[in-house]
Amino acid sequence: MRELFLGLRLLLGSGRGNRVRFLLMSLGSAIGVSCLAVVLTIPGILAAQDARMAARQPTCARNSQGHCTDAKGAPRELTMTDPLGSRPMTRVFLAVGTKHIEPPPGLVTLPRPGQIFLSPRLHEVLHGEPGLARLLPGRERGIIGPQGLAHPDELYAYIGVAPDKLRDADVVTLFGKPYPPSPTVENSTLDIVRFTLAGVVLLPLAVFLSVCARLSAAVRVRRLAALRLLGLSTKAVQRVNAAETVAAVLLGAVLGLGTYELVNQVISRAGLPGFKWYPGDGALSLSTILVCLLGCPALAWFVGRASARKAAANPLAVRRSAVQKPPGKWGLLPLVPGLGIVAGYCVVGATGHAPRDTGVSAVLMPLAVVLVGAGLVLALPLLSQVLARRVARSSGSLSLGLAMRRNEAEPGGALRVATGLVLLVYAASLVQGVLIELDQVSKHESPVQIYSIELGGVTAEEQHALESITGIRGHAVQMSSWMDPRSDAFEPIMDAVIATCGQLHELVLNADGCVDGRPVRLLNWAQGGGSDGKRGSTFAFHLQKAGHGRFVHLRVPQETLRYRDWDGIPALDADVLLPPSFLPTGYRPEHASLILLSSSDPETVRNVLDGIGSVDPTIAVDPYGINVTALQQIAVVKTLLAIGMVLGLVIGVAAYLVAATDRAMERKPQVTALALLGARPRTLRAAQVVQVVVPLTVGLVSAVVTGKAAESSYLVTGGGAIFWDGKGLPLLLACALGAVVVAALGSLPLVGRRIDPELIRRD
């Protein structure tokens, strides 16, 4: 305890400069701890949402044979999930029976026939879109409480109906299941998110906390060496330094937790794109508090003891500013096997032998990412020293020579300044790979997306608005021939598409030979010769106009038009192409669908679905091969990854600012000595910029190269069709260039105009 109190006394009585450094250490630790708290609470937020979804699931008590017990007189339920724009809307129809059961969470009573309970968000949408009442029949009885909703923006409704409406529906005697039907994020996807956040946030965070714990390392090491020469033992000197570091980090941890609580209250109420939660879901758990209040000071304790080892072991060398030992080549040790694994996967991907669903890849790929990231950090001092030595020998520039000799003498300074930004660029490549994989999972193989909308109840004005939605590349009307509902005999059906040749070319890949104004049979090239069973037959189509109906007869034409449709998701499923003139003026098909086509890009699909919902939210749309719940899940994952990137950016920039400022303060005596020897301020500024920019450039180039290789190997093991992402390279290069520019501009003010000889006298 004596060494701990001595460390605190030295902290409080060693001058204003040291107290300023202590404050910087605390503020830096507060930033790091608040970012750590965000990462640690994300799984808790998702788990809380899943728990509420599971608690409201209707079920029944079952016997040993799996049959529902006490089903007589019990209510019945029917759950339906439909797209409302690009978001899922869940409606639970309940028919109250003679048996009383407890209502689901968030309700005080079950809805009676003609009553509805809505979530707050759905309540707002209903009042903004009165046409939605067709999907929500009944009188609004109340609002669903937070206990019954996964998140504040959920679209959820309980609708009471008469018992005879749900005779064949499921019996419900209680609410609550162990697991939700569709979790907020699937477990496999959540593992990817955890892995990515660990690489994007936790690895740079550990480096940042280490940088904060080693602020003013040179000044403190000299002071510790003096204590060692005064008679303190080796372990006592290490504990004195660790006490000061732990005090700063502990204060920063308390400030960081308080900052997180404030940010959680603000952001949870405002929400993020695609992701919103209740403030209580993001509250700090006991485990998170213990990790921040115990784990971070423990890390600071070990870093403080390690940074004082040199002063305790050889105090005379520290006091006399002995030449530092060059960094060992062992720093390359993690980089070699990591790059070996990455290169191996890239080779097997390029040769067409990508591994599929192997447990080995699930272990090797995360290991390779961690090894490459750690190798970048540990190899940076060695690379910086080797480059500095060679440039200094061949350069004739005074500024460049001063900068390179300083990097050669203190290669560890490059590690402190450049590590945060290097890891940020490296992690950005991994995030791009994860986003590419998620896009491949969320969409089908076809480059286009097809939407089918029933035209019953859709006005002509609404149809025109649907065809004009931004992102729609093609549209056509598809109708079926009339069938006599009174006949029990089998009758063949003719499917026809009403479109011009221009519309047909927008819908399919190839339709050469199309001539406007005349009906033709349609035959897909993929169907080979096709069947002539309907050739020459006559079919009737029932049309309507202002409530009046009429029949139009069509004899199947002899002429055939061969077209090539999209692979995996055909746009046309029709036998005949009819010109728009086939429909009499003002008449529309009684049973028809509007076919819309857009690109399969997830963002475009989401915008198109939102556009359909803005025309009329009650329109039933069938997006071929698209699960709206999965779209929402992908949006949540992308938001979580965006949070990780923002946190990584904050940590990387903060690490650079803290390390660069601290290094400049340590170098003030050396800069003053050079100024007294006659060096110009312009020369000193140029040397300071080069001294920071060169090792940072080396690190960023290494990060871009290894990051793209790691991203490609990750995509190879993911099982998708995309292995090489050339589109993301310009963005990475722009980020790296921006980091270099910021580092250069940040180095300019660190050399002052005024010469203070007192710095040399004190030294």
Side-chain angles (χ1 to χ4, degrees), residues 692-717:
V692 174
V693 166
V694 170
L696 179 60
T697 303
V698 173
L700 291 178
V701 171
S702 303
V704 170
V705 174
T706 57
K708 294 302 294 182
E711 175 196 350
S712 298
S713 61
Y714 175 81
L715 292 175
V716 168
T717 60

Side-chain angles (χ1 to χ4, degrees), residues 542-575:
H542 190 253
L543 309 180
Q544 286 187 337
K545 176 183 178 182
H548 301 284
R550 62 173 290 186
F551 286 97
V552 176
H553 295 82
L554 170 71
R555 180 180 294 275
V556 178
Q558 300 292 327
E559 184 179 357
T560 300
L561 172 65
R562 302 180 69 92
Y563 69 96
R564 191 177 302 277
D565 214 331
W566 303 95
D567 294 331
I569 181 170
L572 295 182
D573 185 18
D575 304 300

Side-chain angles (χ1 to χ4, degrees), residues 315-520:
L316 286 177
V318 173
R319 293 298 300 177
R320 294 174 180 175
S321 301
V323 178
Q324 297 183 9
K325 292 182 179 181
K329 296 183 179 180
W330 61 269
L332 297 174
L333 186 60
L335 195 60
V336 174
L339 287 178
I341 298 173
V342 167
Y345 277 121
C346 290
V347 170
V348 298
T351 56
H353 299 85
R356 303 294 183 185
D357 300 330
T358 60
V360 177
S361 300
V363 176
L364 287 182
M365 195 59 243
L367 179 62
V369 170
V370 173
L371 288 176
V372 172
L376 280 176
V377 175
L378 298 177
L380 189 58
L382 178 61
L383 296 176
S384 176
Q385 187 185 53
V386 172
L387 178 63
R389 183 184 296 117
R390 293 186 177 182
V391 173
R393 289 176 181 175
S394 59
S395 174
S397 170
L398 177 59
S399 301
L400 186 59
L402 287 174
M404 293 299 99
R405 289 303 181 187
R406 174 52 55 188
N407 283 346
E408 181 184 0
E410 294 181 0
L415 178 66
R416 283 191 294 157
V417 174
T419 298
L421 296 178
V422 168
L423 287 179
L424 178 63
V425 173
Y426 173 70
S429 289
L430 298 180
V431 174
Q432 283 187 348
V434 173
L435 292 177
I436 291 173
E437 184 183 22
L438 291 177
D439 284 344
Q440 294 183 88
V441 171
S442 63
K443 68 180 183 180
H444 38 70
E445 298 294 333
S446 176
V448 298
Q449 175 62 46
I450 307 298
Y451 315 83
S452 177
I453 299 174
E454 292 292 333
L455 286 180
V458 177
T459 65
E461 292 77 11
E462 290 175 338
Q463 179 181 342
H464 179 71
L466 292 171
E467 296 169 350
S468 304
I469 292 175
T470 302
I472 295 299
R473 292 165 37 183
H475 61 86
V477 174
Q478 185 169 315
M479 64 178 182
S480 300
S481 59
W482 179 79
M483 291 181 58
D484 189 355
R486 298 169 296 180
S487 175
D488 295 331
F490 172 76
E491 297 181 15
I493 299 176
M494 170 65 67
D495 293 316
V497 59
I498 303 173
T500 63
C501 289
Q503 291 175 316
L504 184 64
H505 283 292
E506 292 173 344
L507 284 176
V508 297
L509 276 172
N510 185 11
D512 293 338
C514 179
V515 179
D516 280 321
R518 61 187 185 191
V520 292

Side-chain angles (χ1 to χ4, degrees), residues 7 12 48 68 79 94 227 275 298 373 385 427 431 437 442 452 478 500 536 600 604 674 696 713 753:
L12 299 175
C68 290
T79 301
L94 289 172
L227 292 176
F275 187 46
Q385 187 185 53
V431 174
E437 184 183 22
S442 63
S452 177
Q478 185 169 315
T500 63
S600 60
T604 302
L674 291 174
L696 179 60
S713 61
R753 295 176 176 272

Side-chain angles (χ1 to χ4, degrees), residues 166-370:
L166 298 180
R167 290 177 179 175
D168 298 329
D170 296 331
V171 174
V172 54
T173 60
L174 54 91
F175 291 89
K177 290 183 178 180
Y179 305 100
S182 178
T184 306
V185 178
E186 294 290 345
N187 290 331
S188 58
T189 307
L190 186 57
D191 291 338
I192 297 175
V193 174
R194 288 170 178 162
F195 166 67
T196 308
L197 290 180
V200 174
V201 181
L202 296 185
L203 186 59
L205 180 61
V207 174
F208 176 52
L209 292 177
S210 300
V211 168
C212 292
R214 295 193 62 191
L215 279 178
S216 64
V219 176
R220 286 194 289 165
V221 165
R222 290 176 60 82
R223 188 179 63 197
L224 294 173
L227 292 176
R228 179 73 178 93
L229 292 174
L230 289 175
L232 282 182
S233 65
T234 300
K235 292 184 178 180
V237 169
Q238 291 177 334
R239 285 194 289 264
V240 167
N241 187 53
E244 180 179 352
T245 304
V246 169
V249 173
L250 186 59
L251 176 60
V254 175
L255 293 176
L257 292 178
T259 302
Y260 168 79
E261 281 290 355
L262 179 61
V263 171
N264 175 54
Q265 295 294 327
V266 175
I267 300 299
S268 62
R269 287 173 169 80
L272 296 172
F275 187 46
K276 197 172 183 180
W277 65 96
Y278 291 106
D281 295 344
L284 292 169
S285 63
L286 179 60
S287 60
T288 300
I289 295 176
L290 291 178
V291 168
C292 294
L293 293 183
L294 298 180
C296 294
L299 173 64
W301 173 268
F302 288 108
V303 172
R305 287 177 60 89
S307 60
R309 186 178 296 118
K310 180 180 178 181
N314 195 353
L316 286 177
V318 173
R319 293 298 300 177
R320 294 174 180 175
S321 301
V323 178
Q324 297 183 9
K325 292 182 179 181
K329 296 183 179 180
W330 61 269
L332 297 174
L333 186 60
L335 195 60
V336 174
L339 287 178
I341 298 173
V342 167
Y345 277 121
C346 290
V347 170
V348 298
T351 56
H353 299 85
R356 303 294 183 185
D357 300 330
T358 60
V360 177
S361 300
V363 176
L364 287 182
M365 195 59 243
L367 179 62
V369 170
V370 173

